[in-house]
Amino acid sequence: MLDENTAVLFQGDSVLLFQGRLPDAAEAGQLPLSDSGPFGSLGPAGCVWGRVEEGAKLPAGWSAVSRRAFGEQSGREDFQAMSAAWGLADWHRQARYCGCCGAKMEPAPGEQHAMKCPNCGHTLFPVICPAMIVAVERDGKLLLAMNRRNRLNRFSVLAGFLEVGESIEDAVVREVREEVNVEVDRNSIQYLYSQYWPFPRSLMLACRARWKSGELRPDGVEIGEAHWFAPDEIPANIPGSITVAGWLIRDFLARHGGAAERR
């Protein structure tokens, strides 16, 4: 379990480990911290976070792993703490200067994570990007698709960011239509649960929906392949149990008599 003595450090897009584990604050203090992300804290009982200079050479005993690899190696609680640390570190990197007058931002008094411009008073809070992710079902089968940029040859459920002015239901209907040419029954859409996801700083809103009409036709831009899978046809290579996509697929398997436990 991560606490105030644990440090989550990032270099570029990677998490830094010391001797195969997350460092403590004293060990982390030995590295050259970037001025785009000095030490911060997730809260009174949370870990500290920071960024290390992009080109800095790591001393002996240190290694860099991808955020996905860290999630696969750690438990859900540690992954969520790392995700929150990444969200703050990445946002601070992009919120160094005021968007109104260009002055350098400073921590806002009385606010744990906000930044305030000392020149014009403009205040910024960490940005979170809402995205829907949906398990669409049709006659006991689950819709899974493969993104054209996916290098893992892995099928997953559909997902997409909410646009300005949209509800979760609006986004589910639009994204499924745009990506695979299928209409879902709007009245069947159920919100189930959520997960903060550090790619980039997303709040994944998990839903379930039923097919209404249309035959699968991947858009060819984002989605390269899509199929309906019966429980015994679900590919072995699906998202891990640390992910909300993995939860949705395993939920489908559990409700339809499939093997609910998949790595």
Side-chain angles (χ1 to χ4, degrees):
M1 180 176 178
L2 307 189
D3 57 25
E4 65 272 14
N5 294 315
T6 306
V8 183
L9 297 183
F10 303 98
Q11 187 176 43
D13 291 336
S14 299
V15 183
L16 297 184
L17 302 180
F18 180 66
Q19 297 181 351
R21 57 169 173 77
L22 289 174
D24 61 35
E27 293 163 341
Q30 301 171 9
L31 296 179
L33 294 179
S34 167
D35 63 0
S36 66
F39 271 123
S41 174
L42 295 185
C47 61
V48 295
W49 56 264
R51 296 189 71 90
V52 172
E53 291 289 351
E54 195 92 20
K57 185 176 180 180
L58 299 177
W62 290 85
S63 60
V65 300
S66 72
R67 284 167 285 147
R68 289 184 185 275
F70 179 84
E72 292 169 359
Q73 298 166 10
S74 66
R76 184 174 299 174
E77 186 174 355
D78 284 1
F79 177 69
Q80 290 304 109
M82 182 280 294
S83 299
W86 168 263
L88 288 170
D90 189 55
W91 175 73
H92 271 267
R93 179 179 61 84
Q94 298 182 28
R96 296 171 64 192
Y97 297 97
C98 178
C100 295
C101 72
K104 191 167 185 177
M105 301 290 278
E106 298 178 351
E111 297 286 351
Q112 185 176 354
H113 298 308
M115 301 290 283
K116 186 173 182 178
C117 176
N119 183 51
C120 70
H122 180 57
T123 302
L124 291 175
F125 291 86
V127 174
I128 300 173
C129 305
M132 72 84 207
I133 182 166
V134 60
V136 182
E137 299 181 23
R138 177 184 183 182
D139 300 328
K141 294 186 176 183
L142 178 65
L143 171 58
L144 296 179
M146 188 180 297
N147 193 292
R148 292 191 64 192
R149 297 187 297 273
N150 189 306
R151 292 176 290 182
L152 300 175
N153 196 34
R154 176 179 290 171
F155 281 92
S156 187
V157 290
L158 297 179
F161 290 106
L162 273 68
E163 294 184 352
V164 174
E166 278 190 326
S167 66
I168 300 174
E169 294 81 4
D170 291 337
V172 168
V173 171
R174 176 184 54 78
E175 285 284 351
V176 176
R177 179 191 299 134
E178 290 177 353
E179 294 188 350
V180 294
N181 190 50
V182 161
E183 295 293 327
V184 299
D185 180 355
R186 186 183 180 89
N187 293 327
S188 73
I189 298 172
Q190 296 175 279
Y191 166 76
L192 300 175
Y193 34 68
S194 63
Q195 179 187 28
Y196 185 84
W197 186 241
F199 302 96
R201 299 186 300 270
S202 307
L203 179 62
M204 305 302 297
L205 306 167
C207 300
R208 188 187 300 151
R210 290 196 304 270
W211 171 88
K212 181 180 179 181
S213 64
E215 297 305 320
L216 292 177
R217 188 176 69 239
D219 64 6
V221 177
E222 189 168 349
I223 304 300
E225 192 175 346
H227 304 283
W228 296 104
F229 291 93
D232 59 354
E233 299 171 336
I234 299 289
N237 185 23
I238 60 173
S241 59
I242 199 74
T243 70
V244 70
W247 302 349
L248 284 170
I249 296 171
R250 288 164 179 77
D251 171 71
F252 169 81
L253 290 168
R255 289 184 294 103
H256 290 81
E261 294 301 323
R262 296 279 195 95
R263 292 187 62 82

